[in-house]
Amino acid sequence: MLTIKEVADLAGVSKATVSRVINNSGYVSPQTRLKIESIMKQYNYLPSASAVNLSRQETSTVGVVVPEIGNRFYADVVHGITEMADQMNLSLVFFSTSNSPEQEEKAIRTLRQQQVRGIILGPSVDYMRSSIGRSIHSELKALSVPIIVVDRMFENMEWDAVVYENFQSSYRAALELHKAGNRRLAILAGDLSLLIGRERFEGFRCGAEALGLTIREEDILQGNFRMDRAYELSKQMLTRGDLPDAIYCCNNLSTLGFLKAANECGIKIGEDIALLGNDRIEEVDFLGIGVSWIYRDTCQMGRVAMRMLDERVKKPDKCKTISVIPFQVELNGSEKKRSL
């Protein structure tokens, strides 16, 4: 006799969708309902007690998995998620993976045991570019719950996501630095094994090329979105002499690493070198340095992710949705180099 999982596999849907048909509860599209009912009739499927009760076992708990909760960006995303979860009377269970795929896989297995309602996820790796990434991807698919990816989308992804204009914001960064009078541009890039890292790098490079500029090889600092690596690379550049006119830092921690190195080297931002950072850091604004930013509403990313998860729970068969959070520009003076 077929199991509910086998019915779901034959119909190409989740077990929860089959359960909604059995219990006549929740939304299922007419086409999908007809397909499931036909399969059950064809194979003379009789639902077990567990199948009848499956839809009633849904919990009010949502799993949230992020790479680094200590990063202000993810802290703000979590704030937005929490805000919406409170309004929806949902509970949250958090995991911070420290950008470790092994920790991420462990978190996913724990969530599988807890039968969560859904997961909001910031991947630590590109799932399609490593063996452990593919293993995590398989674990997630086996959960058969709604998944919303935040920020770190990957190629050929099947889940809903809320993302940022990575290419467009970095393209605009090149234009703003050039408009401010800078001609030799440098970039403190992020992790190119991640799609967001590649998109930001390509956006800045294409923006420079559109202006007739070529970024020198020595002015490409290959970071990994972390402060310690950004600091190390920045100090090497700032102590070699022959500085570029301006540098674009691809995320908030890269900007912090650069600012730390500049302070130690006696380099004045907006005088000796221009700076434009992606992802605003409010604490830096308090220091009165006048750093210029390209940024997004990170709390809004969390709110949108939570709403998307709720909608996916209610409408499991709707088309995949990608929600894009637009960038904003705030110029506070550091985009100009006064000695030009």
Side-chain angles (χ1 to χ4, degrees):
M1 173 180 274
L2 289 184
T3 65
I4 187 172
K5 182 180 186 306
E6 289 168 331
V7 173
D9 290 342
L10 287 169
V13 299
S14 68
K15 290 191 297 182
T17 301
V18 176
S19 180
R20 278 190 287 273
V21 172
I22 293 170
N23 290 279
N24 196 28
S25 63
Y27 176 81
V28 179
S29 70
Q31 298 91 334
T32 301
R33 181 179 294 276
L34 180 61
K35 185 176 183 180
I36 293 170
E37 289 174 343
S38 297
I39 290 170
M40 291 192 295
K41 183 177 180 180
Q42 178 183 349
Y43 291 93
N44 195 27
Y45 171 73
L46 295 175
S48 65
S50 61
V52 171
N53 290 324
L54 180 62
S55 67
R56 297 167 194 163
Q57 293 174 359
E58 291 179 349
T59 72
S60 60
T61 301
V62 171
V64 180
V65 182
V66 296
E68 43 191 3
I69 195 63
N71 184 333
R72 178 60 182 267
F73 165 73
Y74 286 108
D76 286 346
V77 169
V78 166
H79 180 82
I81 292 170
T82 303
E83 188 178 292
M84 291 305 302
D86 287 345
Q87 294 180 24
M88 298 174 181
N89 293 317
L90 296 174
S91 301
L92 300 173
V93 55
F94 295 100
F95 293 87
S96 180
T97 64
S98 300
N99 275 299
S100 164
E102 291 79 13
Q103 287 298 316
E104 183 175 333
E105 191 169 34
K106 182 179 178 182
I108 299 305
R109 287 173 179 168
T110 301
L111 289 173
R112 188 174 184 178
Q113 295 170 352
Q114 295 188 8
Q115 296 183 315
V116 291
R117 183 184 185 90
I119 296 174
I120 297 176
L121 172 68
S124 61
V125 293
D126 188 323
Y127 293 152
M128 299 297 103
R129 295 170 70 93
S130 67
S131 58
I132 190 166
R134 288 187 287 272
S135 175
I136 296 171
H137 186 251
S138 296
E139 290 275 356
L140 287 164
K141 289 181 70 175
L143 281 168
S144 297
V145 298
I147 293 171
I148 309 297
V149 173
V150 176
D151 196 44
R152 294 184 176 184
M153 208 168 92
F154 54 90
E155 294 165 351
N156 301 318
M157 189 186 72
E158 64 266 56
W159 299 307
D160 299 328
V162 51
V163 297
Y164 176 49
E165 295 177 308
N166 293 300
F167 183 94
Q168 299 92 327
S169 63
S170 297
Y171 190 101
R172 178 68 175 272
L175 269 57
E176 291 294 345
L177 288 173
H178 182 267
K179 184 179 178 181
N182 303 290
R183 295 298 177 264
R184 182 179 165 190
L185 306 183
I187 180 172
L188 182 42
D191 187 348
L192 298 187
S193 71
L194 297 172
L195 181 60
I196 60 170
R198 299 192 295 274
E199 286 179 338
R200 292 187 191 185
F201 177 77
E202 286 301 312
F204 191 73
R205 185 186 63 80
C206 289
E209 287 184 354
L211 297 164
L213 305 176
T214 300
I215 304 175
R216 301 183 189 181
E217 185 176 348
E218 64 266 30
D219 292 336
I220 298 174
L221 310 185
Q222 186 50 68
N224 58 4
F225 287 133
R226 301 187 187 183
M227 182 177 171
D228 55 353
R229 179 62 175 162
Y231 165 76
E232 175 188 331
L233 292 170
S234 299
K235 195 150 190 183
Q236 290 173 10
M237 183 190 76
L238 295 173
T239 54
R240 77 185 181 204
D242 188 31
L243 294 181
D245 296 329
I247 188 166
Y248 168 57
C249 296
C250 281
N251 81 323
N252 56 355
L253 295 183
S254 297
T255 301
L256 283 175
F258 179 80
L259 288 172
K260 180 183 178 183
N263 181 62
E264 290 185 5
C265 295
I267 300 295
K268 295 184 179 179
I269 305 301
E271 292 188 17
D272 301 316
I273 190 170
L275 168 66
L276 185 56
N278 203 325
D279 282 339
R280 183 176 179 176
I281 310 165
E282 290 187 6
E283 291 81 357
V284 170
D285 293 337
F286 300 152
L287 300 177
I289 300 174
V291 172
S292 296
W293 308 106
I294 287 185
Y295 67 103
R296 63 278 188 61
D297 187 337
T298 47
C299 285
Q300 181 65 4
M301 291 187 79
R303 297 185 198 104
V304 171
M306 194 69 243
R307 285 196 292 263
M308 290 174 72
L309 181 62
D310 184 58
E311 186 176 357
R312 177 57 65 185
V313 169
K314 294 175 180 175
K315 299 180 180 179
D317 298 315
K318 75 182 187 74
C319 295
K320 182 176 79 172
T321 301
I322 304 296
S323 182
V324 181
I325 302 298
F327 71 84
Q328 302 176 58
V329 180
E330 183 177 307
L331 302 178
N332 295 311
S334 73
E335 78 283 0
K336 300 177 181 179
K337 180 181 174 183
R338 293 186 179 89
S339 59
L340 282 173

